[in-house]
Amino acid sequence: MTLPCDNFYEFKRFLTNLRDEDDKVIFRLNALLPTTSFQNKVDAATNCQKLKTELVELHKTREEMISTCLQFQRGLLASAPDERSRRAAQRTVRSLQQEGSVEEIVRERSNTFFQNKCNPFMDFDAKL
């Protein structure tokens, strides 16, 4: 997979598609975890652990993507041949830094939902 680090809008679209899984975390938790009447028929702890593994991997992947493209754009900024190129690279660097902040918010929101839903079924603090 090649990251579109040279085109912020393509990168943003790619990142948004990856964030869809976090947007669906409430639905997925409700589907995976049992209601009181089905508690004995579903292994909620295993389901929580699987989802946790998936989410942690997604978060790590997105963070690495943002970091990689941020380094790429900082390299462009450092070697910008003219003012126009420098300003464009500066805008992209700022946008990528903002995406890093958004990623923290998305991760925290998913973590909150995950903890609220999975802690009753886990033997440990269910934190992402």
Side-chain angles (χ1 to χ4, degrees):
M1 168 186 75
T2 303
L3 284 176
C5 292
D6 57 338
N7 183 333
F8 178 73
Y9 298 105
E10 279 295 313
F11 175 80
K12 175 78 173 170
R13 192 168 57 109
F14 189 65
L15 192 60
T16 299
N17 288 337
L18 289 176
R19 284 183 179 151
D20 281 345
E21 285 303 310
D22 275 275
D23 291 339
K24 297 173 188 170
V25 74
I26 295 173
F27 171 77
R28 289 187 67 196
L29 282 169
N30 285 334
L32 289 173
L33 299 179
T35 58
T36 307
S37 59
F38 287 100
Q39 222 161 10
N40 296 331
K41 298 176 183 173
V42 176
D43 186 358
T46 301
N47 288 341
C48 283
Q49 188 60 45
K50 285 180 185 177
L51 182 60
K52 177 182 180 176
T53 302
E54 287 177 38
L55 289 173
V56 166
E57 191 61 36
L58 278 170
H59 294 164
K60 181 181 172 188
T61 298
R62 291 194 311 254
E63 287 174 14
E64 288 172 356
M65 286 173 46
I66 292 168
S67 177
T68 299
C69 286
L70 193 54
Q71 288 175 344
F72 175 81
Q73 287 295 327
R74 285 181 176 148
L76 289 180
L77 179 60
S79 64
D82 57 28
E83 186 65 23
R84 183 175 182 218
S85 299
R86 192 175 69 71
R87 276 191 257 136
Q90 281 178 328
R91 274 192 306 273
T92 304
V93 166
R94 279 194 299 271
S95 295
L96 287 166
Q97 288 170 334
Q98 288 174 342
E99 288 303 321
S101 297
V102 169
E103 190 60 31
E104 288 178 34
I105 293 166
V106 168
R107 185 177 54 247
E108 186 57 39
R109 187 189 66 178
S110 292
N111 188 39
T112 299
F113 291 136
F114 186 83
Q115 282 183 308
N116 288 340
K117 289 289 196 170
C118 285
N119 270 348
F121 304 104
M122 305 291 276
D123 292 335
F124 55 90
D125 188 23
K127 195 171 188 180
L128 294 176

